Amino acid sequence: MNNEIKWKRYPLEVEHDGETLKGEIVYWAKDYRVELTSPLSAKSQNLHMMYMIPARFVTPLDTDPRARVKDVDIVDESIRKLKLLFEQNFYKS
């Protein structure tokens, strides 16, 4: 039996402070992080959901409903994190 986690990737692109920020959400049902890829490179910390909670992290790629499992959409929060990653890394200098 293969217990390897199959990480998914969901692309993000947003305008912020006159810059086009590009990145992606790297996730599976119980963990996710945001990666900024342009105009600079940075990663957020992983956010984890306890296994006992009957919920899963989702993006628009996840169209298969699960019985008795609540979907937690992470796109809006990930866009906020993408902007924060940019601000924390771009304005350092």
Side-chain angles (χ1 to χ4, degrees), residues 34-66:
V34 176
E35 297 182 358
L36 175 63
T37 57
S38 177
L40 50 97
S41 181
K43 293 180 183 179
S44 71
Q45 292 182 330
N46 276 13
L47 183 67
H48 176 74
M49 183 186 309
M50 294 188 317
Y51 292 102
M52 69 178 84
I53 298 172
R56 66 181 181 153
F57 293 129
V58 297
T59 69
L61 297 177
D62 303 293
T63 57
D64 56 327
R66 303 255 171 99

